[in-house]
Amino acid sequence: MGEALASLTDLLKSTLYFLEGMWLEELCPYVRQRMLRDLPPTELRALVSRCLEQHPCFVQDKEKRWCLDRRGLQENDAVYELLLVKGKPMSRWSLMREKNSKEGKLNHDGRFIRVGEEKWGLTEWTADFGVYPLRHLVIKALRQHASGLPLSRLAAVISEWRPVEPAAIEKILRRYPYFYHQRGIWRYDVRAHRSWREAASQFTAALRQQKLRLEERMALWQSKCSSLAGALREAQAAWRETAATLASQQEQIESSREQMEEQRLLLQLRKQELLHYRQQWQQSERKAQSILHQCRLWVKRARELEGALAVVEKELQQKQKELLQLRQRWEETREYYGTEVAKLQREVIELKQQLAQQKARAEEGEEYWTGEKHRLEHEIKRLESTREELLREHRFLQWELGRLREENRRLERQLRHPLIRFVRRLGFLFARG
């Protein structure tokens, strides 16, 4: 059935119908994959949790996993049978007209799912095996076969849902600690899965907190560096303006010198103007000296800013060292959680040893029943030999009965002779007389 699901409730029904039992943390990625991609993780988790708690068709087992109640409501059995007969989704108006049902009742029934805007179908029609990870398909197959499966049989079961290679399945089985292997049989331990999930969630939460702290510190230092870089850019712009001013002043000095040369050539004609130009030249020189002094001040400020920038770089190096220390702490935290996971794995090994002891006791019981089986087989053989003797006697009696029947038919043929019949009548007459 290719129509899109209409609501979050229908998506949860479709997912839990196939996978049969999942924790809330495992349901949220499916919801984000199919809908609500822009919602923050905390709000998405709260929305999914509220939806599961509001609808009575979702229940929790003893492991706190969410499951779908497939029994449904008794009052909707007629609608369920109608959809089974039709084999395709029907509009709500058609269902209300034929079975007098209400949409609200179907929404609280785990057997029904809404496709599109106006149609209702069965949850079992919406299974899409391509969107589920291989890990959950392996869990479903091993939960259906609680006694365990070999790798080849497990690959055959999963291939009924979608094509998969046995090597990929074995990689999944060896990757997660809640799958364990014994005598060629793979099994699934739900308690180990729950412990692994709790440890992983705690470790992820700790890493997320460390990441937030580091991001806050990095943002603070980046803001400081950006402010210092802005101040440096302003100083460089001022230095460039001063250099341009100095260049323009130098050009003015060159022009003044050219004018002085011209005045020297025209000295005899413009003696009176010479004093005026000399004063102008002196003023220009004083201006140049003042400009040179300003340039020296700007250079001094630029050096001070370079010194401040060097201090900032030293502080940045120090903060980088602190970041390395934080990374080392993060490595220590990871090693700590690694030891915790190792402890959990040791507990799993102890549980496996206890299971092996119980299996040894079961094998002893099996040897006892094997002995009983051999004794009963010997008794059956003796009874079969007795049965053969009885069959031989039965065949002999059948042969004897056939011989007597042949003798009887022969005597009857002899009694049918007219002379013998006449003699018999005479005997009867004499017997009456």
Side-chain angles (χ1 to χ4, degrees):
M1 187 167 59
E3 288 111 345
L5 300 179
S7 65
L8 175 60
T9 305
D10 300 320
L11 178 59
L12 294 175
K13 284 182 182 180
S14 175
T15 302
L16 292 177
Y17 180 85
F18 177 70
L19 296 180
E20 299 179 357
M22 297 181 69
W23 283 287
L24 181 61
E25 292 79 2
E26 296 175 336
L27 277 172
C28 290
Y30 289 110
V31 176
R32 184 175 293 278
Q33 183 181 1
R34 301 291 293 275
M35 58 176 61
L36 303 176
R37 293 184 176 88
D38 299 331
L39 201 65
T42 55
E43 296 182 8
L44 178 64
R45 178 186 174 91
L47 180 61
V48 174
S49 177
R50 186 165 58 252
C51 182
L52 292 171
E53 293 172 355
Q54 286 178 353
H55 293 81
C57 58
F58 301 118
V59 295
Q60 280 185 307
D61 58 6
K62 60 182 180 180
E63 300 294 338
K64 300 299 181 181
R65 293 178 300 185
W66 287 99
C67 305
L68 181 66
D69 187 3
R70 301 188 181 186
R71 295 173 298 178
L73 302 176
Q74 187 176 2
E75 58 190 9
N76 295 330
D77 291 344
V79 181
Y80 181 74
E81 294 175 358
L82 175 62
L83 287 174
L84 279 178
V85 172
K86 295 291 184 180
K88 63 180 182 179
M90 296 179 64
S91 65
R92 60 177 181 177
W93 304 112
S94 301
L95 293 174
M96 293 173 65
R97 184 174 60 252
E98 295 191 19
K99 296 298 180 179
N100 193 22
S101 63
K102 296 182 179 180
E103 185 177 359
K105 295 181 180 180
L106 296 181
N107 195 30
H108 292 301
D109 197 323
R111 297 175 294 177
F112 303 98
I113 196 167
R114 187 170 54 183
V115 289
E117 292 295 334
E118 300 291 338
K119 292 184 180 181
W120 283 93
L122 298 181
T123 308
E124 59 196 51
W125 295 345
T126 60
D128 188 4
F129 309 120
V131 301
Y132 303 116
L134 181 59
R135 175 169 62 95
H136 290 289
L137 297 180
V138 172
I139 292 175
K140 177 178 174 61
L142 293 178
R143 287 181 64 189
Q144 289 180 350
H145 302 81
S147 59
L149 290 173
L151 182 60
S152 58
R153 178 59 182 160
L154 182 59
V157 171
I158 297 176
S159 297
E160 295 177 358
W161 299 325
R162 75 178 188 196
V164 65
E165 295 294 333
I169 299 176
E170 186 176 6
K171 183 178 179 181
I172 293 293
L173 292 171
R174 298 187 181 278
R175 180 178 179 181
Y176 295 98
Y178 44 81
F179 300 115
Y180 62 95
H181 177 265
Q182 192 171 17
R183 295 184 179 181
I185 302 298
W186 286 96
R187 293 182 176 86
Y188 167 66
D189 190 349
V190 65
R191 295 182 179 177
H193 189 183
R194 183 178 60 184
S195 301
W196 177 83
R197 183 182 61 84
E198 291 175 355
S201 62
Q202 292 175 2
F203 179 68
T204 305
L207 288 180
R208 191 177 294 111
Q209 292 177 358
Q210 291 288 341
K211 181 180 177 182
L212 289 175
R213 295 193 192 98
L214 290 175
E215 288 178 351
E216 290 176 356
R217 294 183 180 179
M218 289 295 292
L220 179 62
W221 284 108
Q222 286 177 357
S223 64
K224 290 183 178 179
C225 290
S226 61
S227 63
L228 291 174
L232 179 60
R233 285 193 296 271
E234 292 177 358
Q236 290 176 351
W239 180 80
R240 284 193 295 270
E241 291 177 358
T242 305
T245 304
L246 181 60
S248 63
Q249 294 294 331
Q250 287 179 353
E251 289 177 357
Q252 292 177 3
I253 291 171
E254 291 295 332
S255 63
S256 299
R257 288 178 180 176
E258 290 177 358
Q259 291 175 3
M260 292 294 294
E261 291 294 333
E262 292 176 358
Q263 292 295 330
R264 286 175 185 177
L265 292 174
L266 300 174
L267 181 61
Q268 294 178 357
L269 300 173
R270 299 181 179 178
K271 290 182 179 181
Q272 295 178 356
E273 295 178 358
L274 182 60
L275 295 174
H276 174 71
Y277 285 118
R278 185 176 294 176
Q279 292 176 358
Q280 188 176 3
W281 178 77
Q282 291 175 356
Q283 290 176 0
S284 299
E285 189 175 2
R286 285 195 297 271
K287 289 181 180 179
Q289 291 294 331
S290 64
I291 291 170
L292 183 60
H293 180 68
Q294 290 178 0
C295 290
R296 288 173 181 173
L297 292 176
W298 283 113
V299 170
K300 183 178 180 181
R301 287 186 182 178
R303 290 176 180 175
E304 291 177 355
L305 289 174
E306 288 179 356
L309 183 60
V311 173
V312 171
E313 289 179 352
K314 289 181 180 179
E315 292 180 355
L316 183 60
Q317 292 176 359
Q318 184 177 1
K319 295 303 178 181
Q320 288 178 351
K321 291 180 181 179
E322 292 180 359
L323 181 60
L324 290 175
Q325 292 177 0
L326 289 174
R327 288 180 179 175
Q328 291 177 358
R329 291 179 184 174
W330 178 76
E331 292 292 337
E332 293 174 357
T333 306
R334 187 175 65 179
E335 292 178 359
Y336 170 75
Y337 283 106
T339 55
E340 292 296 326
V341 172
K343 290 180 181 179
L344 291 174
Q345 290 179 352
R346 286 197 295 271
E347 292 179 0
V348 170
I349 292 171
E350 292 176 359
L351 291 173
K352 288 182 179 179
Q353 291 176 356
Q354 293 178 3
L355 181 61
Q357 294 176 359
Q358 292 179 0
K359 285 190 175 180
R361 299 192 190 98
E363 288 175 356
E364 292 176 0
E366 185 178 357
E367 291 178 356
Y368 170 75
W369 290 113
T370 304
E372 289 293 321
K373 177 183 176 183
H374 291 323
R375 185 180 64 78
L376 292 173
E377 288 177 351
H378 179 71
E379 187 69 20
I380 289 170
K381 289 180 181 178
R382 186 180 63 78
L383 292 174
E384 286 179 353
S385 62
T386 305
R387 177 175 172 274
E388 290 176 356
E389 292 177 358
L390 292 174
L391 287 174
R392 285 195 297 270
E393 292 179 359
H394 177 69
R395 287 194 294 270
F396 174 76
L397 291 175
Q398 285 181 346
W399 177 80
E400 186 67 22
L401 178 61
R403 188 181 64 78
L404 292 174
R405 285 178 178 175
E406 186 66 27
E407 184 69 21
N408 185 25
R409 284 194 293 271
R410 187 179 62 78
L411 291 174
E412 286 178 354
R413 286 193 299 270
Q414 291 178 359
L415 289 175
R416 291 193 193 99
H417 195 274
L419 182 60
I420 295 174
R421 291 172 66 183
F422 178 73
V423 171
R424 286 179 62 190
R425 288 180 180 178
L426 288 177
F428 285 130
L429 292 175
F430 283 120
R432 290 179 179 177

Short mmCIF file of all heavy atoms in Angstrom, two decimals, residues 64-93:
data_model
loop_
_atom_site.label_atom_id
_atom_site.label_comp_id
_atom_site.label_asym_id
_atom_site.label_seq_id
_atom_site.Cartn_x
_atom_site.Cartn_y
_atom_site.Cartn_z
N LYS A 64 9.59 -2.36 29.89
CA LYS A 64 9.33 -0.94 29.61
C LYS A 64 9.45 -0.63 28.11
O LYS A 64 9.74 0.50 27.72
CB LYS A 64 10.29 -0.03 30.39
CG LYS A 64 10.19 -0.19 31.90
CD LYS A 64 8.80 0.17 32.41
CE LYS A 64 8.73 0.04 33.92
NZ LYS A 64 7.37 0.36 34.43
N ARG A 65 9.21 -1.64 27.25
CA ARG A 65 9.17 -1.40 25.81
C ARG A 65 7.73 -1.18 25.38
O ARG A 65 6.81 -1.80 25.91
CB ARG A 65 9.76 -2.59 25.06
CG ARG A 65 11.24 -2.79 25.28
CD ARG A 65 11.74 -3.99 24.54
NE ARG A 65 11.06 -5.20 24.98
CZ ARG A 65 11.36 -6.42 24.56
NH1 ARG A 65 12.27 -6.59 23.65
NH2 ARG A 65 10.71 -7.46 25.01
N TRP A 66 7.57 -0.32 24.38
CA TRP A 66 6.23 -0.02 23.87
C TRP A 66 5.85 -1.06 22.83
O TRP A 66 6.62 -1.38 21.93
CB TRP A 66 6.19 1.39 23.27
CG TRP A 66 6.22 2.46 24.30
CD1 TRP A 66 7.29 3.19 24.71
CD2 TRP A 66 5.10 2.92 25.08
NE1 TRP A 66 6.93 4.07 25.69
CE2 TRP A 66 5.58 3.94 25.95
CE3 TRP A 66 3.76 2.58 25.15
CZ2 TRP A 66 4.77 4.59 26.84
CZ3 TRP A 66 2.95 3.24 26.04
CH2 TRP A 66 3.45 4.23 26.88
N CYS A 67 4.62 -1.59 22.95
CA CYS A 67 4.10 -2.60 22.04
C CYS A 67 2.72 -2.16 21.54
O CYS A 67 2.07 -1.30 22.14
CB CYS A 67 4.01 -3.97 22.71
SG CYS A 67 5.57 -4.55 23.43
N LEU A 68 2.27 -2.80 20.47
CA LEU A 68 0.95 -2.52 19.90
C LEU A 68 -0.01 -3.62 20.31
O LEU A 68 0.29 -4.82 20.15
CB LEU A 68 1.05 -2.43 18.37
CG LEU A 68 -0.25 -2.13 17.64
CD1 LEU A 68 -0.73 -0.72 17.97
CD2 LEU A 68 -0.08 -2.29 16.14
N ASP A 69 -1.17 -3.24 20.86
CA ASP A 69 -2.22 -4.18 21.23
C ASP A 69 -2.96 -4.61 19.97
O ASP A 69 -3.76 -3.86 19.41
CB ASP A 69 -3.17 -3.54 22.23
CG ASP A 69 -4.18 -4.55 22.79
OD1 ASP A 69 -4.07 -5.74 22.42
OD2 ASP A 69 -5.08 -4.15 23.55
N ARG A 70 -2.67 -5.84 19.49
CA ARG A 70 -3.26 -6.31 18.24
C ARG A 70 -4.67 -6.88 18.42
O ARG A 70 -5.33 -7.20 17.43
CB ARG A 70 -2.37 -7.38 17.61
CG ARG A 70 -0.96 -6.88 17.31
CD ARG A 70 -0.21 -7.91 16.52
NE ARG A 70 1.16 -7.49 16.24
CZ ARG A 70 1.99 -8.16 15.47
NH1 ARG A 70 1.59 -9.27 14.87
NH2 ARG A 70 3.23 -7.73 15.26
N ARG A 71 -5.12 -7.04 19.65
CA ARG A 71 -6.46 -7.61 19.84
C ARG A 71 -7.53 -6.63 19.42
O ARG A 71 -8.55 -7.02 18.89
CB ARG A 71 -6.63 -7.98 21.31
CG ARG A 71 -5.69 -9.09 21.77
CD ARG A 71 -5.78 -9.30 23.25
NE ARG A 71 -5.38 -8.09 23.97
CZ ARG A 71 -5.40 -7.98 25.29
NH1 ARG A 71 -5.82 -8.98 26.03
NH2 ARG A 71 -5.01 -6.85 25.86
N GLY A 72 -7.32 -5.35 19.66
CA GLY A 72 -8.27 -4.34 19.23
C GLY A 72 -9.53 -4.31 20.09
O GLY A 72 -9.64 -4.98 21.13
N LEU A 73 -10.50 -3.52 19.65
CA LEU A 73 -11.77 -3.37 20.35
C LEU A 73 -12.79 -4.32 19.73
O LEU A 73 -12.88 -4.46 18.50
CB LEU A 73 -12.26 -1.93 20.25
CG LEU A 73 -11.31 -0.87 20.82
CD1 LEU A 73 -11.87 0.52 20.58
CD2 LEU A 73 -11.07 -1.09 22.31
N GLN A 74 -13.57 -4.98 20.57
CA GLN A 74 -14.55 -5.95 20.09
C GLN A 74 -15.60 -5.31 19.19
O GLN A 74 -16.09 -5.92 18.24
CB GLN A 74 -15.21 -6.64 21.28
CG GLN A 74 -16.11 -7.80 20.88
CD GLN A 74 -16.66 -8.52 22.10
OE1 GLN A 74 -16.39 -8.13 23.23
NE2 GLN A 74 -17.43 -9.56 21.87
N GLU A 75 -15.93 -4.06 19.45
CA GLU A 75 -16.96 -3.38 18.66
C GLU A 75 -16.51 -3.08 17.24
O GLU A 75 -17.33 -2.75 16.38
CB GLU A 75 -17.37 -2.08 19.36
CG GLU A 75 -16.20 -1.13 19.57
CD GLU A 75 -16.58 0.04 20.47
OE1 GLU A 75 -17.67 0.02 21.04
OE2 GLU A 75 -15.76 0.95 20.58
N ASN A 76 -15.17 -3.18 16.97
CA ASN A 76 -14.66 -2.91 15.62
C ASN A 76 -14.39 -4.20 14.84
O ASN A 76 -13.79 -4.13 13.76
CB ASN A 76 -13.38 -2.09 15.70
CG ASN A 76 -13.61 -0.71 16.27
OD1 ASN A 76 -14.69 -0.15 16.09
ND2 ASN A 76 -12.62 -0.16 16.93
N ASP A 77 -14.80 -5.35 15.36
CA ASP A 77 -14.53 -6.61 14.64
C ASP A 77 -15.23 -6.65 13.29
O ASP A 77 -14.69 -7.20 12.32
CB ASP A 77 -14.99 -7.79 15.50
CG ASP A 77 -14.11 -7.97 16.73
OD1 ASP A 77 -13.00 -7.38 16.74
OD2 ASP A 77 -14.52 -8.67 17.67
N ALA A 78 -16.44 -6.10 13.21
CA ALA A 78 -17.16 -6.11 11.93
C ALA A 78 -16.41 -5.29 10.88
O ALA A 78 -16.31 -5.69 9.71
CB ALA A 78 -18.58 -5.57 12.13
N VAL A 79 -15.86 -4.13 11.26
CA VAL A 79 -15.09 -3.31 10.32
C VAL A 79 -13.82 -4.04 9.89
O VAL A 79 -13.42 -3.99 8.72
CB VAL A 79 -14.74 -1.96 10.98
CG1 VAL A 79 -13.95 -1.08 10.02
CG2 VAL A 79 -16.01 -1.25 11.42
N TYR A 80 -13.19 -4.74 10.82
CA TYR A 80 -11.97 -5.50 10.50
C TYR A 80 -12.28 -6.59 9.46
O TYR A 80 -11.55 -6.77 8.49
CB TYR A 80 -11.41 -6.11 11.78
CG TYR A 80 -10.15 -6.89 11.58
CD1 TYR A 80 -8.93 -6.26 11.35
CD2 TYR A 80 -10.17 -8.28 11.61
CE1 TYR A 80 -7.76 -6.98 11.17
CE2 TYR A 80 -9.01 -9.01 11.42
CZ TYR A 80 -7.81 -8.35 11.20
OH TYR A 80 -6.67 -9.07 11.02
N GLU A 81 -13.37 -7.32 9.66
CA GLU A 81 -13.75 -8.37 8.71
C GLU A 81 -14.10 -7.76 7.35
O GLU A 81 -13.76 -8.33 6.31
CB GLU A 81 -14.93 -9.16 9.27
CG GLU A 81 -14.58 -9.96 10.52
CD GLU A 81 -15.79 -10.65 11.12
OE1 GLU A 81 -16.90 -10.45 10.55
OE2 GLU A 81 -15.65 -11.36 12.14
N LEU A 82 -14.77 -6.60 7.34
CA LEU A 82 -15.12 -5.96 6.08
C LEU A 82 -13.86 -5.57 5.29
O LEU A 82 -13.76 -5.81 4.09
CB LEU A 82 -15.97 -4.72 6.36
CG LEU A 82 -16.33 -3.86 5.13
CD1 LEU A 82 -17.15 -4.67 4.14
CD2 LEU A 82 -17.09 -2.61 5.57
N LEU A 83 -12.86 -4.98 5.96
CA LEU A 83 -11.63 -4.59 5.27
C LEU A 83 -10.84 -5.81 4.79
O LEU A 83 -10.19 -5.76 3.75
CB LEU A 83 -10.77 -3.73 6.20
CG LEU A 83 -11.28 -2.30 6.44
CD1 LEU A 83 -10.43 -1.61 7.48
CD2 LEU A 83 -11.30 -1.50 5.16
N LEU A 84 -10.89 -6.92 5.57
CA LEU A 84 -10.24 -8.14 5.12
C LEU A 84 -10.88 -8.65 3.83
O LEU A 84 -10.19 -9.12 2.92
CB LEU A 84 -10.31 -9.20 6.21
CG LEU A 84 -9.29 -9.11 7.34
CD1 LEU A 84 -9.52 -10.22 8.35
CD2 LEU A 84 -7.87 -9.20 6.80
N VAL A 85 -12.18 -8.57 3.75
CA VAL A 85 -12.88 -9.04 2.56
C VAL A 85 -12.58 -8.12 1.37
O VAL A 85 -12.30 -8.59 0.27
CB VAL A 85 -14.40 -9.11 2.84
CG1 VAL A 85 -15.16 -9.42 1.54
CG2 VAL A 85 -14.69 -10.18 3.88
N LYS A 86 -12.62 -6.78 1.59
CA LYS A 86 -12.36 -5.84 0.50
C LYS A 86 -10.92 -5.90 0.03
O LYS A 86 -10.63 -5.78 -1.16
CB LYS A 86 -12.71 -4.42 0.94
CG LYS A 86 -14.19 -4.21 1.24
CD LYS A 86 -15.03 -4.28 -0.01
CE LYS A 86 -16.49 -3.98 0.29
NZ LYS A 86 -17.33 -4.05 -0.92
N GLY A 87 -9.98 -6.03 0.96
CA GLY A 87 -8.56 -6.10 0.60
C GLY A 87 -7.95 -4.79 0.17
O GLY A 87 -6.87 -4.78 -0.42
N LYS A 88 -8.59 -3.66 0.46
CA LYS A 88 -8.04 -2.35 0.11
C LYS A 88 -8.62 -1.31 1.06
O LYS A 88 -9.67 -1.55 1.69
CB LYS A 88 -8.39 -1.99 -1.34
CG LYS A 88 -9.88 -1.87 -1.59
CD LYS A 88 -10.17 -1.52 -3.04
CE LYS A 88 -11.67 -1.36 -3.29
NZ LYS A 88 -11.95 -0.98 -4.69
N PRO A 89 -7.97 -0.13 1.20
CA PRO A 89 -8.49 0.90 2.10
C PRO A 89 -9.86 1.41 1.64
O PRO A 89 -10.18 1.42 0.45
CB PRO A 89 -7.43 2.00 2.04
CG PRO A 89 -6.21 1.33 1.54
CD PRO A 89 -6.66 0.25 0.64
N MET A 90 -10.65 1.84 2.62
CA MET A 90 -11.98 2.38 2.35
C MET A 90 -12.11 3.73 3.04
O MET A 90 -11.49 3.98 4.07
CB MET A 90 -13.06 1.42 2.86
CG MET A 90 -13.07 0.07 2.15
SD MET A 90 -14.34 -1.04 2.80
CE MET A 90 -15.82 -0.12 2.37
N SER A 91 -12.95 4.59 2.47
CA SER A 91 -13.18 5.89 3.07
C SER A 91 -14.00 5.75 4.35
O SER A 91 -14.73 4.77 4.54
CB SER A 91 -13.91 6.80 2.08
OG SER A 91 -15.21 6.29 1.81
N ARG A 92 -13.87 6.73 5.23
CA ARG A 92 -14.59 6.66 6.50
C ARG A 92 -16.09 6.75 6.30
O ARG A 92 -16.87 6.17 7.06
CB ARG A 92 -14.11 7.78 7.42
CG ARG A 92 -14.31 9.19 6.87
CD ARG A 92 -13.87 10.22 7.87
NE ARG A 92 -14.09 11.58 7.38
CZ ARG A 92 -13.84 12.67 8.08
NH1 ARG A 92 -13.36 12.55 9.30
NH2 ARG A 92 -14.06 13.87 7.58
N TRP A 93 -16.52 7.44 5.21
CA TRP A 93 -17.96 7.53 4.96
C TRP A 93 -18.51 6.16 4.56
O TRP A 93 -19.62 5.79 4.97
CB TRP A 93 -18.23 8.57 3.87
CG TRP A 93 -17.68 9.91 4.22
CD1 TRP A 93 -16.65 10.56 3.61
CD2 TRP A 93 -18.11 10.77 5.27
NE1 TRP A 93 -16.39 11.76 4.20
CE2 TRP A 93 -17.30 11.93 5.25
CE3 TRP A 93 -19.11 10.68 6.24
CZ2 TRP A 93 -17.44 12.97 6.13
CZ3 TRP A 93 -19.26 11.73 7.12
CH2 TRP A 93 -18.44 12.85 7.08
#
